[in-house]
Amino acid sequence: MSKVAVVYWSGTGNTEAMAVSVADGVKKAGGEAVVLTSGEFDSSMISSFDAIAFGCPAMGAEELEEDEFEPMFSACESELNGKRIALFGSYGWGDGEWMRTWEERCVSLGAVIACESVTANEAPDGEAAAKCVELGKKLAG
């Protein structure tokens, strides 16, 4: 059984809803999902998990949330080489550039992106929620 951390930051609840769907997918695939906010997670925990789903909305000029999520993620970077991860998040403007930049950053760190990232424009609709469930299943598999 895979143990998967679902680590997220959410300001409006949109990315939190996505995290719940990701965790549901992990469980449906027979894995153990541990849902944590970015304030509850740190780099010392990475080795405790088989895979990690990171979720953060686009903020400012299409960037990761800078006060809590970005510092946590930066501190984790040195531990992500070879780690199976997946990314998800919501946005309200732009075209998803923050996600493409984040994916490139993770690849450059040597992280293994286990499946296609999931984005939702504002609140996740049924399609986005279903994609989050599938992301969780793939990450647990």
Side-chain angles (χ1 to χ4, degrees), residues 56-126:
C56 186
M59 303 293 286
E62 291 219 45
E63 56 201 16
L64 299 175
E65 190 278 328
E66 64 185 5
D67 293 326
E68 189 174 298
F69 192 90
E70 175 62 42
M72 177 278 303
F73 191 78
S74 291
C76 290
E77 287 183 334
S78 65
E79 303 297 319
L80 295 180
N81 186 21
K83 195 71 172 180
R84 291 182 71 241
I85 68 165
L87 307 175
F88 64 94
S90 62
Y91 65 100
W93 61 90
D95 68 351
E97 178 185 350
W98 106 101
M99 185 59 73
R100 292 188 300 276
T101 301
W102 193 13
E103 288 169 344
E104 291 169 7
R105 178 178 173 185
C106 291
V107 168
S108 74
L109 296 169
V112 178
I113 298 182
C115 54
E116 185 176 337
S117 300
V118 178
T119 59
N121 190 341
E122 301 293 345
D125 59 14

